[in-house]
Amino acid sequence: MGMEHLLLWLVTLPLIGALVCFALTDELSKYFALVVTLLGWVLAFFVYQGFDSAHATQLQMVFNYPWLNSMGVSFGLGIDGISFPLVILTKLMMPIAILASFNEKKFMRFFMSCYLVLDSAMTGTFLATDMVLFYVFWELMLIPMILLIGVWGSEQRVFASVKFFIYTFAGSMLMLASIFYLFSQTHVQLGQYTGEIAAFTKLNFSPVEVFWGLNAEKLVFLGFFIAFAIKVPLFPLHTWLPDAHVQAPTGGSILLAAVLLKMGTYGLLRFAIPIAPNAFVEFSTCVAYLAIIGILYGAWVAYQQKDMKKLVAYSSVSHLGFCVLGICSMNTKGLTGSMLQMVNHGITTGALFLLVGMLYERRHTKKFEDYGGLAAIVPYFSILFVFVACSSMGVPGLNGFVGEFLVFMGAFEANQTWAFVTVTGVVFGALYTLTMVKKTLFGPVTNAENRSLKDVTLKEWAAILPLCILIVYLGLAPNSFLSKFNQSLDTYWAETLKKTALDAGTVK
Amino acid sequence: MSNFSSVYWTQFIAIALIGLGMVGFLIRRNAIVVLMSIELMLNGVNLLLIEAAHRSGSADGTMLVVFIITIAAGEVAVGLGILLNLYRIKHSSDTELYKELQG
Amino acid sequence: MMMPLLLAAPLIGAIVNGLILRPATAKRAGVIASIAALTSFASVMVQHFAPDAGPFEWTWFTVGELTVKWSFASDPLTWMMCAVVTGIGSLIHIYSIGYMSHEHNAYRYFAYLNFFLFNMLVLITSTSLLGMFVGWEGVGLCSYLLIGYWFEDINKAKAGMKAFIVNRIGDAGFLIGIFICYQLFKTLNFAEIAKLLDTQTFDVRMLNLAAFFLFIGAMGKSAQIPLYVWLPDAMAGPTPVSALIHAATMVTAGIYLICRMNGLFLVAQDTSLFIAIIGISTALLSALIATSQRDIKKVLAYSTVSQLGLMFLALGCGAYLAAIFHVMTHAFFKALLFLGSGSVIHACEGEQDIWKMGGLKKKLPSTFLTFTIGTIAIAGIPPLAGFFSKDMILYSALTAKSYGTTFWILGLLVSFLTAFYMVRVWALTFLGEYRGDKHPHESPATMLIPLYILAFGSIVAGFLGMPEGLHLLPNYLEAFLHPVLGPLVEGHGALSEERAMAVATVSAIIACSLGFYFYSKPERSETPGKILVPFKTVFENKFWVDELYGLVIVKPFDALCAFFAKFFDPNIIDGLVLLPSKAAQGMGSLLVLLQTGIVQTYLLFFVFGLLVLFMVLLKGVVL
């Protein structure tokens, strides 16, 4: 097995595991799934070691298998500087999500195979080098997710599941339209049909305006952009997230927040911007303002929530706003901050959902009014809660700070007003996070049932400890991780904006 | 009377029969009357066909009429059978009550 | 070599106390914490004689051409601040052993205290603005944890949250200041910025903006108008915490920042004037409030805000040495006063209202002696420490470039009020007869020894920075801090320095006498209140500033968020999302009316269809 098959194993191992899971018993399938995802850690480690950071801009470990020859579509997998951190993040969060789901009561075999199929689909989305393959994996992601929410979720799971599916799918339809158009253009402009993403970036668009002042490039961009904006989620397309998060089981919430939301920003960086850079440059101010509104609005709405998971869901809207703002600044600092925020948000919010899940498992309620004063009863839990809350707020020394700071600097270099408005986000971020901590942990014990709460169990420690270690490590020494892929971030804007009227002038 | 007007008379009567039958099955509420109206329409058609056969001199029209009468007989048998079963369930032959497929 | 030890000792102490050992008794936890603090202090002392070769650093992150390092180094200013922080910090750790002896699970407290010391040292020893910001937020976090230490009381937890949020508002300004500095200087390293300011010229407006935003950060951390409201509420924490964080160390971080960036502030004249105005206003406002407070800790809290205001006045007038001098002396006597009040509160079993005290002179003799020394020091009576540092500030205000005389008169008024309200507290607490119902007893030795040491410091610390004019002792402090802060600029004012000192001394003595006159005898204690009834209400209610903030900022903001969360998001945005589904449902419910289930309806549609078909077919022929 050479390097070129590593990525294939990364994608298909969980799929094989999912099939095997059907044949096992409920008890056995739990541990089997855990073993499969820990094998994923091993594979991810090999990817980490084998990744050539000096050539991070190029696709590495490429695996190519011809699929639909007449259409030029192939089963192609490859990894480069932009997908590298996200693939590592995906593989990292899988065993943690599975550990968090160990106490599920019904249909455990199918539960676990759902997770494994989701794992395969997510990894495939990040690794696909072919447009059609990307779309296949993108849609494949939806199916286990709607099952996870709709079967194993809370009281209003079916509504949330259907809403999530239709909302995301509607966006995907628009993306499909863009893909169709681009596909036909490859035949026209390049002589033959091909699905390779690199070929799409070479396409030119005619400046003829079709309607509403939009030309072909802008329409293509909008098709991609709306699909990804729904996924991010970007204000005002965010309302599926609170419902999905509140109703999903703990493991589903963890994966939804940690990985699925990053698909949106990844898509922007991989597809929307390189294929239609002129359109992006024209829309960037508008998107930046939407991101800023998302940062503030998410924080303000989170502050008034009475449900813990909804609060964390809106905090995700706020944090992902930072990621999008970093992209819209169109400079290296912003982009690096954005990528770091993607990874950091995944780890931190995953940990937050783990903690909320611990409480939900014990008391089957997510409302703040049912808690209060827990710090006196479950000290270890409280320490973890405050620790993860600090990471969420962006306290320096923990992972949240570096990404946030770089996004601020990037925004300041792009447009000072953006930075002025966004920096107030640190105040509101502290406000809702500390409110969450206060309502859960501090004050007198208002509910007698809370007195008998058990502290963190061994299994829960196993799930959350790797995240805590990473929070500290990425806060104090992010450079060892960052240096693996920052070469591709440094050159991203120079490469992408070559096609536009701007040039080296705005690149920093 | 000339051939001219007798042709029209026959056709008038036939169309009147068809029209009556159509109105009948649209308006009447008694299921048996609906079936009768359909029979009426069939007979109107029969009349048109015989008249056309007589005028053109070929026997095609008459043959069709024989077919129609036979099939009409079979259809009435089946229709009345369905009606009987419906009556057993609903204890009424009012078509307004046969609303299982509503919505 | 000493720098890693300096930083690591309190961090290790925090980890050992908080995560590893978690000792059951306060004594064991306190001993571990105190050893860590004393190790830091020892390493500071050793460093003076065996300085490090170069900065202790490693790379934090690299983005493009920006490389940010974790980097710690020592220069005279840093050394002095470290000495003060670790020295007084160690004393407070030792004091806490006695103060928290009855506490359950006190290891949490000592872990937080050590972690605070670590963050403060990071703040002071960092060689760049960003490294300093790390320590800056870290001390804010520790402050939040320590103020809300007794979390079972939700009000104390809320006080901790208030401190953190108000601090964060300052931090937002600090961040903008960092960005502007980076844009101007392309570096965040203090030494490099200082060199660039010396050699190049920059746009004065940008320099003023950078200084202004950095000052906003200082406003939040050092409790100036309008961000001072967290400090009085912070008294909800244990008294040693108030002493360490809110008197001696954390609140001085803002002053340290401005002194570190003195090259920038010296050139940013407009911002410096603004700083001076804010400083003196804060000093005056809080001094007035302090005259009417009943809680002994609240008086000291407002006194701290007032003294910080004086320090900012000095900074605004360009007298960075005076501000640092006052930081040092203020650390001694304010920590002394707070610890003394802690001793009193400990003795009165939790009572904090001074009107329920009195006559403690006989019952708590050591506390009385040390508290008296602290009161005399803060009142500014020579030759104790407060006099010399306050004199340096007032004289620098007098000789300022603009509004010198106004600043000086107002500063004199603040000093007058300071002496007055401190003597008021002292007299009501210790003189006369005991008015409460508890059984006060003297505190244990672990609490008294730090008091004595601090009292000694309050007496002699002033001699380190005596003005040249008196020709008694050289100005050791100026010589020591000269490389960092530059020379003490001799300006020209309305009075000479000796005359100003004399006026200040006389006013202090008059204020003390007035305070003693009114408050030493119970029958006269009510008189000042009766004379100035309208003022008393205003001062007592803190000028209703908290209520004003609540009305103008907090409640509208809460209402806005509630509007978004409860109405706008679910009904309007989500409403738009659900609109297609509702439209589909609506259309469906309309169309379902066609499905009547009656055969004749369907036959009617047949007939209509037939008609349409005939019309189409016969179109050319008939119509």
Side-chain angles (χ1 to χ4, degrees), chain C residues 362-413:
Chain C
K362 296 181 196 66
K363 307 202 194 222
L364 312 174
S366 304
T367 310
F368 170 67
L369 180 62
T370 50
F371 202 89
T372 314
I373 295 176
T375 310
I376 301 176
I378 196 176
I381 299 193
L384 266 62
F387 170 71
F388 292 109
S389 59
K390 225 185 273 201
D391 161 73
M392 207 191 266
I393 293 181
L394 288 175
Y395 188 63
S396 68
L398 185 61
T399 57
K401 289 201 185 66
S402 41
Y403 309 107
T405 323
T406 324
F407 284 151
W408 181 73
I409 294 177
L410 289 173
L412 208 57
L413 180 59

Side-chain angles (χ1 to χ4, degrees), chain A residues 219-281:
Chain A
L219 282 172
V220 166
F221 177 77
L222 276 178
F224 277 119
F225 174 71
I226 294 181
F228 297 136
I230 292 176
K231 213 51 174 169
V232 166
L234 195 62
F235 179 90
L237 302 170
H238 64 279
T239 47
W240 61 271
L241 189 67
D243 282 311
H245 262 138
V246 171
Q247 305 300 327
T250 309
S253 286
I254 293 176
L255 288 176
L256 183 58
V259 185
L260 263 83
L261 298 187
K262 314 304 185 299
M263 301 284 178
T265 43
Y266 170 77
L268 275 176
L269 286 174
R270 172 71 84 215
F271 299 99
I273 297 176
I275 294 178
N278 283 303
F280 173 68
V281 168

Side-chain angles (χ1 to χ4, degrees), chain C residues 386-444:
Chain C
F387 170 71
F388 292 109
S389 59
K390 225 185 273 201
D391 161 73
M392 207 191 266
I393 293 181
L394 288 175
Y395 188 63
S396 68
L398 185 61
T399 57
K401 289 201 185 66
S402 41
Y403 309 107
T405 323
T406 324
F407 284 151
W408 181 73
I409 294 177
L410 289 173
L412 208 57
L413 180 59
V414 171
S415 306
F416 182 87
L417 287 169
T418 309
F420 180 73
Y421 65 67
M422 281 314 301
V423 171
R424 168 179 178 263
V425 169
W426 172 79
L428 283 175
T429 311
F430 290 103
L431 302 182
E433 292 300 317
Y434 183 57
R435 295 182 288 271
D437 51 1
K438 312 272 174 84
H439 309 286
H441 52 279
E442 187 57 277
S443 308

Side-chain angles (χ1 to χ4, degrees), chain A residues 104 111 115 145-158 160-161 164 240-257 309 353 356-357 360 366:
Chain A
E104 184 57 53
F111 197 38
Y115 275 124
M145 203 65 225
I146 61 170
L147 285 174
L148 279 173
I149 300 177
V151 178
W152 291 279
S154 312
E155 299 83 38
Q156 291 184 322
R157 55 188 181 268
V158 178
S161 173
F164 164 69
W240 61 271
L241 189 67
D243 282 311
H245 262 138
V246 171
Q247 305 300 327
T250 309
S253 286
I254 293 176
L255 288 176
L256 183 58
K309 266 185 141 180
F353 274 118
V356 172
Y360 183 73
K366 299 184 191 101

Side-chain angles (χ1 to χ4, degrees), chain A residues 163 238 297 303 314 443 475-476, chain C residues 22 60 70 151 558 569 574:
Chain A
K163 183 176 178 181
H238 64 279
Y297 181 85
Y303 175 49
Y314 279 109
L476 293 178
Chain C
R22 303 167 80 227
W60 193 5
W70 293 102
F151 55 77
D558 279 355
D569 205 58
D574 217 17

Side-chain angles (χ1 to χ4, degrees), chain C residues 535-547:
Chain C
F535 292 110
K536 177 168 180 290
T537 328
V538 175
F539 299 161
E540 219 174 12
N541 287 301
K542 312 167 274 152
F543 287 82
W544 293 288
V545 171
D546 278 312
E547 286 77 8

